[in-house]
Amino acid sequence: FAKEFYTQLIKGRSMGECVRMGRLKLLEKHGVAAVSWASYILYGDPNFVLFKTKTSPPKLRFQGWSGMYRKLALKLSLSAVALSICIYLYMMLPTINPNTYFLFRKSNASFLKGRNQEVLQLSSQIIKKEPSFLAVYPLIADTYQKMGKSNEALKYYFEYAFYSQKKQDKKNLASAYIKIGWSYHKQGEYPKALDFYNKAITLSRENQDSLNEAIVLRKLAVWHMDKEDYDKAMELLVKSSEINRQRQNIYEHRYNLACDYFDMGLVFCNKDDFAAAKEFYQKSQALFEKLKLKNELSDYYFNLGELCLFDKQYQEAMDYYSRGLKIDQASGDMPSIAADYNMIGELYVEMGNLEKAEESFNQALSISSQVAAQQESAAIYYNLGLLYKQKGQKNKARDYFRKAQEIYRLIDTNDYQEVKEELLSLNEPVD
């Protein structure tokens, strides 16, 4: 902002024009979502010019018809520029009311601090004032996701798509499709998720929108990971990372490159290549720390803890899990907290402390049952079934396996078959 401001200032532009050019430069570089450009406010006369440019005396000449045409052309070109600016402001800026931006910044800050109710309250004020403010819809939806209210989240993701389409904003529309797809994905509705991912990738490629293309490639990679097609997942992540590496100077691409590395680590972990997994997790961590992002490190700590668990380094694993849990608790992410306690329970099982494991699983179940976290609940039921099977309590084990099976029956993954095999094993005679 400062560089553009002073460049325009020494060219003899007015103070107000310099501020405007600086803001536009920030918008061009970082996009509308990074609202830092709205922080710069001019107090004083916007028409004041600090460095006046020298002007040569006018040359007297007969204009004739050519001069009249030149003047007309000049007026038309100026009108075209003004019209272009108006169109740009309408398409790119959701509002011209500064108060809306301040409310949004405050709401976004509350989101990062886990103050979910405050986010919803501030965001509802924005919608009342400026229903076409696109950035507020994914913020509300993401907040509901953290609260475990997936239906409310989905509603606002669709609102995001509706207003993006209304404004003919293809970039935001592709982003909305990705978020709708991810919402279905987390609910285990894989065909619907795939449908919206395909819509997003088609739209982003048509619009030469490299950022959303990279994001949807990564989401598709996770989709294939869930189907245990790890080679396809890695192929998609390589494509995504290539796009992001070429544009690392842009914040959003650098952030998504960190996510690519993290998911690559996850693929290697699923393929039992733990050395490669650790390497990519560390690459991801280094980028997130450079970007000064803390909330994103939760999954990193849990996955690194899982690697320690495989090496039977139980105390190190617990330390990593505790760090990840604190981050999720601070951000108010209820489905993640339920999943965290479930993983802590699994660790206790490995350590042979079945009482602590049972306590953690029940804590996880209590949280997941309060929020609509079906996949998390299924995983917890399954682990409780394994726990009671190990303790020799077959009836309890059977009840929990059946509860897990009821959820997995609706989800197209291999988990259903695993639960079925565990149920069948309960009928086998004990040696």
Side-chain angles (χ1 to χ4, degrees), residues 123-136:
S123 298
S124 65
Q125 293 178 41
I126 294 172
I127 289 177
K128 284 178 184 176
K129 290 182 179 182
E130 301 284 345
S132 61
F133 191 106
L134 295 180
V136 74

Side-chain angles (χ1 to χ4, degrees), residues 6-204:
Y6 288 115
T7 299
Q8 299 302 328
L9 191 68
I10 61 174
K11 287 181 179 179
R13 295 184 185 274
S14 69
M15 300 290 280
E17 180 69 5
C18 294
V19 170
R20 190 181 72 85
M21 297 294 284
R23 286 174 172 171
L24 289 175
K25 198 72 176 178
L26 284 178
L27 276 169
E28 178 187 332
K29 188 170 183 182
H30 300 291
V32 179
V35 295
S36 55
W37 61 270
S39 304
Y40 299 95
I41 300 169
L42 172 64
Y43 294 96
D45 182 7
N47 296 315
F48 177 74
V49 177
L50 185 61
F51 300 106
K52 295 196 181 212
T53 53
K54 291 182 181 178
T55 55
S56 357
K59 294 181 181 178
L60 297 173
R61 63 180 179 183
F62 177 70
Q63 288 185 327
W65 286 105
S66 60
M68 289 173 64
Y69 283 130
R70 274 195 293 272
K71 285 180 77 175
L72 180 60
L74 178 62
K75 285 181 180 179
L76 288 172
S77 62
L78 288 173
S79 299
V81 169
L83 181 61
S84 299
I85 291 170
C86 289
I87 292 171
Y88 173 83
L89 289 171
Y90 175 75
M91 294 295 290
M92 298 302 293
L93 307 182
T95 181
I96 56 172
N97 184 353
N99 290 332
T100 304
Y101 288 106
F102 297 139
L103 274 174
F104 178 75
R105 290 185 65 192
K106 191 176 178 182
S107 183
N108 194 53
S110 297
F111 177 85
L112 295 174
K113 292 174 183 175
R115 299 172 183 167
N116 296 329
Q117 290 298 336
E118 196 172 297
V119 176
L120 298 178
Q121 184 182 0
L122 291 167
S123 298
S124 65
Q125 293 178 41
I126 294 172
I127 289 177
K128 284 178 184 176
K129 290 182 179 182
E130 301 284 345
S132 61
F133 191 106
L134 295 180
V136 74
Y137 292 102
L139 181 62
I140 295 173
D142 290 348
T143 304
Y144 276 123
Q145 284 281 27
K146 284 205 301 180
M147 295 169 72
K149 297 182 177 181
S150 53
N151 289 335
E152 288 86 344
L154 200 54
K155 173 193 168 187
Y156 280 98
Y157 287 140
F158 274 109
E159 289 279 304
Y160 181 32
F162 171 78
Y163 281 104
S164 298
Q165 197 162 30
K166 189 175 180 181
K167 296 188 76 169
Q168 297 182 0
D169 188 328
K170 292 181 180 179
K171 187 168 185 176
N172 274 296
L173 183 57
S175 179
Y177 285 155
I178 293 169
K179 287 184 174 292
I180 292 169
W182 183 239
S183 185
Y184 281 129
H185 191 155
K186 290 177 79 172
Q187 293 177 49
E189 298 190 47
Y190 289 93
K192 286 183 180 179
L194 185 61
D195 183 38
F196 278 96
Y197 288 157
N198 286 333
K199 285 180 179 180
I201 203 163
T202 301
L203 186 60
S204 58

Side-chain angles (χ1 to χ4, degrees), residues 237-278:
L237 286 170
V238 168
K239 287 180 182 178
S240 174
S241 63
E242 283 173 358
I243 294 171
N244 290 318
R245 271 199 303 270
Q246 290 169 8
R247 297 165 177 82
Q248 283 190 67
N249 59 312
I250 301 170
Y251 175 91
E252 288 88 348
H253 281 284
R254 198 156 63 251
Y255 170 86
N256 281 289
L257 181 60
C259 296
D260 290 333
Y261 287 151
F262 180 86
D263 287 339
M264 285 177 175
L266 195 56
V267 171
F268 282 118
C269 191
N270 283 314
K271 295 177 82 171
D272 296 334
D273 188 344
F274 302 126
K278 190 171 183 178

